[in-house]
């Protein structure tokens, strides 16, 4: 998971024209990754899409069921979008 996380920001830039993806934490022991998106404010429905997107990417890497939740959201007054994915 760490190798994939290291590549995620450059892959984001390659496929998306907005925002900057940051990997805030990769904790394989606690089976958690925290991702943060700065500068991306399209529409609140996109937040749900990203929960599914990040959950699916992690599921493909770890080979287990995953769960993603947006912990911070700029549409709720936070400065960034932060997603926590667990498996």
């Amino acid at each position: 998971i760490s190798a994939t996380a290291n590549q995620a920001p450059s892959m984001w830039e390659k496929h998306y024209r907005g925002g900057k993806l940051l990997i805030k934490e990769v904790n394989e022991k606690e089976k958690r990754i925290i991702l943060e998106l700065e500068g991306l404010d399209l529409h609140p429905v996109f937040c749900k899409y990203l929960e599914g997107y990040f959950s699916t990417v992690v599921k493909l890497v770890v080979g287990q069921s995953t769960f993603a939740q947006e912990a911070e959201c700029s549409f709720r007054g936070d400065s960034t979008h932060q997603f926590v994915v667990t498996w």
Side-chain angles (χ1 to χ4, degrees):
I1 189 81
S2 293
T4 301
N6 289 335
Q7 295 298 315
S10 63
M11 294 303 291
W12 180 269
E13 290 177 9
K14 182 178 179 182
H15 296 284
Y16 293 93
R17 300 210 188 281
K20 181 177 181 179
L21 180 65
L22 305 168
I23 307 303
K24 300 305 277 188
E25 177 184 314
V26 177
N27 190 325
E28 293 187 49
K29 182 179 179 183
E30 294 185 22
K31 298 183 177 184
R32 175 180 64 228
I33 185 168
I34 300 174
L35 307 109
E36 197 167 274
L37 274 173
E38 295 178 340
L40 185 69
D41 295 316
L42 298 174
H43 189 278
V45 75
F46 197 63
C47 300
K48 287 296 181 189
Y49 163 79
L50 289 172
E51 283 179 343
Y53 176 82
F54 292 134
S55 179
T56 301
V57 170
V58 173
K59 181 180 180 180
L60 290 170
V61 174
V62 300
Q64 299 177 25
S65 295
T66 58
F67 177 77
Q69 184 172 15
E70 187 175 28
E72 296 181 12
C73 179
S74 64
F75 296 110
R76 295 189 311 247
D78 297 307
S79 60
T80 64
H81 297 273
Q82 187 177 87
F83 297 88
V84 179
V85 184
T86 56
W87 63 92

